[in-house]
Amino acid sequence: MDYTVSLCVSSLFIHLNLCFRDTGIGMSEVDMSNLWQPFSQADNSSTRRFGGTGLGLSISLSLVKLMRGDVGVSSVLNVGSRFWFHVPVQIYDSDEAKKTKDNLSVLRRKLGHPRPLRILVSSPSSTTLSLLTSILSGFDVMKVPTFELTVAELRISARDARLLDFLILDHFAHSQLEEVAKILDSSPVFKDTKAIHLYTPTPPSIPQVSALLRTQGRPGSVPTSSGIIDMELASVTGFASTLRYDNERSTSIPRAVDFGRIVRMNKPPRQSRLLELLARLKDIPVPTGGLTGAQLEEALESMDSSTPLKTANVLIAEDNPVANKLLIKQLQKYDLNVVATVDGSEAVREWEKHGIGFFNFALFDHHMPICDGVEAAKRIRFLETRKKASVYLPIVALSADCQESTKELCLSAGMTGFLTKPVRAGDLPNLLRTYGTPKSTMQPSTSPDV
């Protein structure tokens, strides 16, 4: 996929024009005629290959129209598509924006004293390199496109005794990060060098990872060769870190600035967040203004989740990585055993593997690729009937589509309940109080075929 961006500046407005082209499967005229309708997709079958709720383009259309702009598409089946939009915008210089700008200026001055930071940026993406170079303007930035060149630059710096403040690494495999860490640890030149790994977060969507998060070290932590990755911090603030151990007390030291050798920061790298992270790693006070990541973390941890609830084994099916991870986090607040899957077929396999009666209830997304929640519910009800089960699995549908027809579709497939997204704070406690312990249920009123 490629894209173009252009600006047309007048006395009152900046006209922003964006165009995206791909060489994908393309669309027919019939597909394009329904493309902007809510909950509509080119392939609306229950076994489609691609995910999504069918709301993205409808919301995009509404937003562009609200901004007094226009949006459109052209496509050739089996060749590709071209999406475009243009909007007139004005520069709004609010007090909050001025304060943020001033704070960033203060951070830049502090980071540049007594000398500009020396930073090595490595990414195979020319767009990412360009973005980071712009964010880090005013510092001494070196850019390399490959892992091999990164290693070569580090060895040259070590040989020539050239100090390096930061490494920013994009698209690095675990083995490559280990190699970088070994090089940094092997030379006294890099004793104060910190590496920032840019990554795309993915949810712990398999039972083994869920079990690991519950049992290893501190709750919500994952062990690595160089310390403990604090996943709670990662999910709230957008960056994770390795926490060192106090050898005398054998306990981790969760100080805000104790990030260890390698810090993980999720993409995309925002200017304010990246500069704030650099400052914290340098033990430089961050100017106040708005809620910081640490403040948000404290606010979330202070939420009341102490209501006594029954324990339960929960099966979830959600194809969206962010929604999947959020659902796992919400359930694990109540010490639940969560088995997470990414489509209906995988959910059915997990249900069969664990046996009838193991799961107390299930949460299935309505819209999923390969096999959606409705089809998965039908298959489970068919298998329960064939096996003459005495315990039926309560299946609750999750959907952003709150139309009555969608709810009726889910319930007619044998689902037990229906919740609209996003899941609200009171929804899960109610489910746990209802389904917290296994119980025999009446056979569903319908026995859907598969």
Side-chain angles (χ1 to χ4, degrees):
M1 186 184 78
D2 62 9
Y3 65 92
T4 57
V5 180
S6 63
L7 298 174
C8 181
V9 182
S10 66
S11 59
L12 296 177
F13 294 96
I14 296 176
H15 295 271
L16 180 62
N17 307 289
L18 285 91
C19 177
F20 301 86
R21 297 182 181 88
D22 67 46
T23 55
I25 60 176
M27 294 176 289
S28 66
E29 291 292 337
V30 175
D31 292 335
M32 285 189 289
S33 64
N34 296 320
L35 199 61
W36 307 99
Q37 299 299 317
F39 304 106
S40 175
Q41 293 180 312
D43 180 4
N44 269 321
S45 66
S46 63
T47 57
R48 68 189 188 281
R49 292 171 53 203
F50 304 101
T53 61
L55 281 173
L57 287 177
S58 174
I59 293 173
S60 298
L61 174 64
S62 299
L63 290 174
V64 170
K65 292 298 184 182
L66 285 171
M67 297 174 71
R68 295 177 293 175
D70 202 2
V71 63
V73 61
S74 59
S75 184
V76 178
L77 192 62
N78 298 320
V79 174
S81 304
R82 173 181 175 269
F83 286 85
W84 57 267
F85 75 88
H86 62 81
V87 291
V89 296
Q90 289 179 294
I91 297 177
Y92 178 62
D93 201 10
S94 66
D95 292 340
E96 183 179 355
K98 290 178 181 177
K99 185 172 183 179
T100 299
K101 187 177 180 180
D102 290 343
N103 286 346
L104 291 178
S105 297
V106 171
L107 277 183
R108 286 187 182 278
R109 287 198 301 271
K110 290 183 176 180
L111 288 168
H113 180 78
R115 60 170 178 82
L117 294 176
R118 189 165 181 266
I119 304 172
L120 176 61
V121 178
S122 177
S123 174
S125 167
S126 59
T127 302
T128 300
L129 289 176
S130 177
L131 172 62
L132 289 171
T133 301
S134 176
I135 291 175
L136 300 170
S137 62
F139 303 132
D140 182 5
V141 179
M142 298 177 294
K143 298 179 293 182
V144 292
T146 65
F147 165 73
E148 291 76 16
L149 288 176
T150 303
V151 171
E153 284 291 341
L154 288 175
R155 287 174 176 162
I156 291 172
S157 294
R159 182 196 66 194
D160 298 342
R162 289 187 297 175
L163 296 178
L164 186 64
D165 295 290
F166 292 104
L167 285 170
I168 299 181
L169 310 172
D170 176 37
H171 210 72
F172 270 53
H174 178 75
S175 59
Q176 294 172 329
L177 292 173
E178 290 284 348
E179 181 67 23
V180 168
K182 289 178 182 177
I183 295 174
L184 296 179
D185 288 336
S186 66
S187 173
V189 174
F190 302 130
K191 66 182 180 68
D192 294 323
T193 303
K194 296 291 178 66
I196 299 173
H197 176 216
L198 300 179
Y199 75 108
T200 301
T202 55
S205 57
I206 57 175
Q208 291 88 339
V209 176
S210 297
L212 183 66
L213 289 173
R214 290 194 305 273
T215 59
Q216 297 286 349
R218 297 188 303 116
S221 62
V222 176
T224 68
S225 59
S226 56
I228 297 291
I229 295 295
D230 188 344
M231 298 307 292
E232 293 288 347
L233 183 64
S235 65
V236 177
T237 65
F239 49 83
S241 61
T242 56
L243 297 176
R244 296 300 187 185
Y245 279 85
D246 183 334
N247 291 328
E248 294 182 0
R249 293 181 296 169
S250 298
T251 57
S252 59
I253 310 172
R255 293 193 299 115
V257 296
D258 191 9
F259 289 101
R261 175 62 85 174
I262 295 180
V263 180
R264 303 182 72 219
M265 178 179 179
N266 63 25
K267 294 192 279 190
R270 307 290 185 185
Q271 178 178 227
S272 58
R273 195 154 54 88
L274 180 56
L275 292 179
E276 179 182 331
L277 178 57
L278 296 181
R280 292 185 184 279
L281 291 172
K282 283 287 187 180
D283 291 329
I284 295 174
V286 177
T288 59
L291 285 176
T292 65
Q295 289 171 322
L296 286 173
E297 183 182 17
E298 290 174 3
L300 288 176
E301 288 180 349
S302 66
M303 292 175 64
D304 181 18
S305 59
S306 59
T307 305
L309 298 167
K310 304 172 185 177
T311 187
N313 298 318
V314 185
L315 175 64
I316 68 173
E318 169 62 70
D319 66 304
N320 182 282
V322 176
N324 192 306
K325 186 171 185 177
L326 176 61
L327 197 54
I328 291 171
K329 286 287 184 183
Q330 289 176 308
L331 291 167
Q332 287 182 339
K333 280 187 176 182
Y334 302 105
D335 296 324
L336 301 180
N337 176 33
V338 182
V339 175
T341 64
V342 295
D343 65 68
S345 295
E346 186 183 355
V348 174
R349 290 195 297 271
E350 289 291 342
W351 175 81
E352 288 187 284
K353 183 174 74 174
H354 287 83
I356 293 173
F358 177 82
F359 291 107
N360 301 82
F361 65 93
L363 299 172
F364 287 177
D365 183 26
H366 171 218
H367 279 289
M368 288 184 291
I370 303 176
C371 175
D372 63 13
V374 171
E375 182 65 22
K378 289 181 179 180
R379 293 182 187 181
I380 288 177
R381 294 299 181 234
F382 174 80
L383 292 171
E384 286 173 333
T385 301
R386 190 174 68 181
K387 295 178 180 181
K388 299 180 180 179
S390 60
V391 176
Y392 285 85
L393 176 67
I395 304 174
V396 179
L398 300 176
S399 179
D401 184 353
C402 58
Q403 298 178 94
E404 192 63 29
S405 58
T406 302
K407 182 178 180 180
E408 291 176 359
L409 173 66
C410 294
L411 296 179
S412 66
M415 289 184 161
T416 315
F418 184 91
L419 291 177
T420 56
K421 291 182 178 180
V423 178
R424 294 170 296 181
D427 290 335
L428 293 178
N430 290 335
L431 287 175
L432 295 174
R433 291 187 180 95
T434 304
Y435 305 120
T437 54
K439 60 180 180 180
S440 299
T441 62
M442 295 179 60
Q443 186 168 334
S445 58
T446 58
S447 299
D449 297 327
V450 290

